[in-house]
Amino acid sequence: MRIGIAQTSPVFGEVDRNIAEALDLIGQERADLWILPELFATGYQFVDTAEVRELAERVPGGSTTEALVEHAHRHGCHIVAGLPEQDGDHLYNSAILVGPDGFLACYRKVHLFCAEKEHFTPGDRSFPVIDLGIARIGMMVCFDHLFPESARSLALQGADIICHPANLVLPDLAQRTMTIRALENGVFTATANRVGTEARTSESLTYTGQSQIIGPDGEVIGRLSQTDVGVFVADIDVERARNKRITDWNDVLGDRRPDQYKL
Ligand code: ACM
């Protein structure tokens, strides 16, 4: 199976242009599964909640979902990407999975970061795993990386690949935690981060790039630069994520002792 991560540099509010640039980028390589950044079409730094409401879309049915479905259909691939979702009065920082036959799943970010807490409702649907036949796909978004429960919850449901759209601003943090999430769960992780700077409020945010694909031994399969737009694709053996044995005696998930944990 071939998976790809795309590292983009969206211009805030220029949704059509950002979608076109992202699809152009991933259209240049073949992959079975692509991962795009968090809020890839809108940009990240909203000045107020009204702005989120203006740019948020229904899922499925909104124009960003439709554009991704159309691309997935034309190229015979699957895509995970982040977007602001509107459902009634609620706004969610969501990630969707689409494939050649249409919309498949939506995940609503559970752990909100900084000002996201002012604009979005925390996710209410837990962490989803979708079986595509060629692999079982799990989704989480950006700051979820800091909470081991996110990746563990996906691994316990059988995820082979954890797709991780992100807009990371804390230097080198998720690059390290996601290496551990892959290792401690015996899964592949694919983080698609963005680059560039947004300074739409008194705070200037510089996104840290270094999007990466990590293997089940915690090895870096590939990592993009800190500053440049680009893609990285890798052929992976999904079966590696299904063997959780680390010695003849030990199994990464099977040796857990939930009766001894205070959660
Ligand atoms: C983040 O969750 N966007 C850091």
Side-chain angles (χ1 to χ4, degrees):
M1 176 178 184
R2 176 170 278 210
I3 64 174
I5 46 175
Q7 182 162 289
T8 59
S9 185
V11 178
F12 188 90
E14 301 207 8
V15 173
D16 291 345
R17 169 180 165 179
N18 296 332
I19 292 175
E21 285 183 3
L23 295 183
D24 188 47
L25 202 56
I26 66 174
Q28 291 168 20
E29 294 257 13
R30 194 200 68 74
D32 301 300
L33 171 67
W34 282 103
I35 297 91
L36 296 176
E38 178 182 13
L39 299 169
F40 85 98
T42 56
Y44 179 80
Q45 198 182 34
F46 300 97
V47 296
D48 55 31
T49 306
E51 216 172 46
V52 186
R53 202 169 291 285
E54 208 171 292
L55 291 167
E57 298 180 16
R58 279 182 307 109
V59 174
S63 59
T64 302
T65 307
E66 290 304 308
L68 295 174
V69 166
E70 203 269 325
H71 184 95
H73 182 71
R74 194 145 38 91
H75 292 262
C77 64
H78 289 83
I79 306 171
V80 170
L83 80 179
E85 178 196 357
Q86 174 146 30
D87 184 5
D89 285 342
H90 294 285
L91 299 164
Y92 299 96
N93 183 347
S94 296
I96 58 169
L97 169 65
V98 303
D101 297 327
F103 168 81
L104 287 167
C106 176
Y107 161 68
R108 295 170 168 171
K109 186 174 184 178
V110 166
H111 302 101
L112 298 177
F113 181 68
C114 286
E116 290 173 35
K117 291 192 176 194
E118 281 186 10
H119 306 319
F120 294 105
T121 301
D124 56 358
R125 289 183 178 168
S126 189
F127 295 90
V129 175
I130 303 94
D131 192 347
L132 298 182
I134 48 171
R136 294 187 292 252
I137 305 301
M139 291 193 282
M140 55 191 247
V141 172
C142 206
F143 194 48
D144 287 329
H145 74 86
L146 200 62
F147 304 87
E149 294 87 349
S150 315
R152 178 51 54 89
S153 161
L154 290 167
L156 287 173
Q157 295 175 77
D160 302 309
I161 306 167
I162 294 181
C163 300
H164 181 221
N167 274 189
L168 298 159
V169 291
L170 301 176
D172 207 28
L173 183 62
Q175 285 78 10
R176 283 182 289 148
T177 57
M178 289 307 285
T179 301
I180 301 303
R181 300 297 164 255
L183 179 66
E184 69 195 357
N185 291 294
V187 296
F188 293 90
T189 66
T191 298
N193 191 19
R194 59 163 291 180
V195 292
T197 295
E198 286 179 324
R200 306 187 68 249
T201 69
S202 54
E203 190 183 20
S204 171
L205 297 177
T206 294
Y207 302 96
T208 56
Q210 298 181 87
S211 301
Q212 63 183 20
I213 297 177
I214 307 294
D217 291 328
E219 78 278 18
V220 179
I221 295 174
R223 185 176 280 152
L224 291 165
S225 85
Q226 211 168 330
T227 50
D228 297 341
V229 166
V231 297
F232 173 75
V233 296
D235 291 310
I236 61 165
D237 176 7
V238 172
E239 282 304 315
R240 287 187 59 212
R242 300 197 176 170
N243 176 13
K244 305 294 187 190
R245 297 209 74 78
I246 49 170
T247 72
D248 286 346
W249 299 83
N250 298 105
D251 182 289
V252 168
L253 295 183
D255 281 3
R256 294 170 60 250
R257 295 285 311 280
D259 57 314
Q260 296 298 309
Y261 306 149
K262 286 203 169 73
L263 292 175

